[in-house]
Amino acid sequence: MGNRAMDWFRQAERDLEQAEDSRRAGRHEWACFAAQQAAEKAVKALHLSCGQEAWGHVIARLLQELPETISVPPDLMEKARVLDNFYIPPRYPNSHPAGAPFEHYGPLQSEEAIRYAREILAFVRAQMAGAGSRGSGGAGVGAADRPGAS
């Protein structure tokens, strides 16, 4: 079986689109969760492009576990920590002291989540493109690899 890095990255892009659609529809809890998923899948794609598998859902940890040759900016790590808070609470009522999840998320949270996920995807895209151009055997991602590109 070949390297699935691009499959993971393309799904990350689609999850980010879902986050944006959910935000526009006023489903901010789902926008936050989809943004978290987009970032998680993108970082897993980067792991795969480096020839390693990654498990778990904590984006900050996934970033920490990247090879030492990949330098993750400290502010990106902080943004990952914010997104990590959107894995369980937006989906489960018992994650909050009272109220349904949708009552705890609004446009400020979803805007921030989408922005942070977008930054993580851009970081991963740049790293994967660099890996491909360096001939490391990783799956590079460029404009021609993105959905809808000709």
Side-chain angles (χ1 to χ4, degrees), residues 2 6 53 55 63-65 83 103 108 112 123 125 141:
M6 280 309 304
E53 287 204 34
W55 295 94
L63 287 170
Q64 288 172 342
E65 293 173 348
L83 287 170
E103 297 172 302
L108 290 176
E112 178 182 58
F123 171 79
R125 184 180 294 112
V141 58

Side-chain angles (χ1 to χ4, degrees), residues 6-77:
M6 280 309 304
D7 294 338
W8 280 84
F9 190 79
R10 288 180 21 246
Q11 188 62 50
E13 290 180 315
R14 190 162 171 94
D15 288 359
L16 186 56
E17 291 172 8
Q18 179 59 51
E20 293 164 346
D21 289 347
S22 293
R23 184 176 194 284
R24 281 190 292 274
R27 293 183 176 87
H28 300 288
E29 76 282 16
W30 280 109
C32 290
F33 175 65
Q36 184 280 337
Q37 287 289 282
E40 176 188 327
K41 290 172 186 171
V43 177
K44 287 181 176 179
L46 183 52
H47 276 274
L48 287 169
S49 77
C50 294
Q52 60 188 42
E53 287 204 34
W55 295 94
H57 306 285
V58 180
I59 303 162
R61 173 168 280 166
L62 291 167
L63 287 170
Q64 288 172 342
E65 293 173 348
L66 286 167
E68 290 180 14
T69 56
I70 297 175
S71 177
V72 179
D75 69 314
L76 202 65
M77 189 66 72

